[in-house]
Amino acid sequence: LPLVILLETLGSVMIALGFLTRITATVFAIFTFSADFIFNRGATGTEAQYVYMAEYTLIAAWLALMAVGAGKWSLAALWRRR
């Protein structure tokens, strides 16, 4: 549990600041997919379908962020300009 708290906290700050965005987004995508696979694989019914849809939308968002990167206002871009 402490590792998950550390990942969620530091990863969120890194994503928000745009520091190592592609790596952090990749780690979040893998973490979200593995947590979904481990904890939701036996779920059935309408509520489970909504959970799956939300989880896969989140994974798609992490993969898109991984592909595109942080952008021109991120810390990484400011670092490159110097």
Side-chain angles (χ1 to χ4, degrees):
L1 185 63
L3 183 62
V4 173
I5 294 170
L6 183 68
L7 173 71
E8 293 284 336
T9 305
L10 288 180
S12 299
V13 170
M14 290 171 67
I15 291 283
L17 294 176
F19 183 70
L20 298 175
T21 304
R22 291 176 191 233
I23 295 169
T24 308
T26 305
V27 171
F28 271 156
I30 293 169
F31 175 75
T32 304
F33 182 76
S34 62
D36 184 43
F37 181 75
I38 292 169
F39 295 111
N40 294 331
R41 65 182 156 172
T44 59
T46 307
E47 285 185 21
Q49 290 174 346
Y50 289 123
V51 170
Y52 286 140
M53 184 177 68
E55 290 286 330
Y56 293 142
T57 303
L58 184 60
I59 291 170
W62 291 131
L63 292 176
L65 190 58
M66 180 188 71
V68 174
K72 63 181 179 179
W73 294 103
S74 65
L75 283 179
L78 292 175
W79 188 297
R80 273 185 254 131
R81 282 187 217 150
R82 288 183 62 184

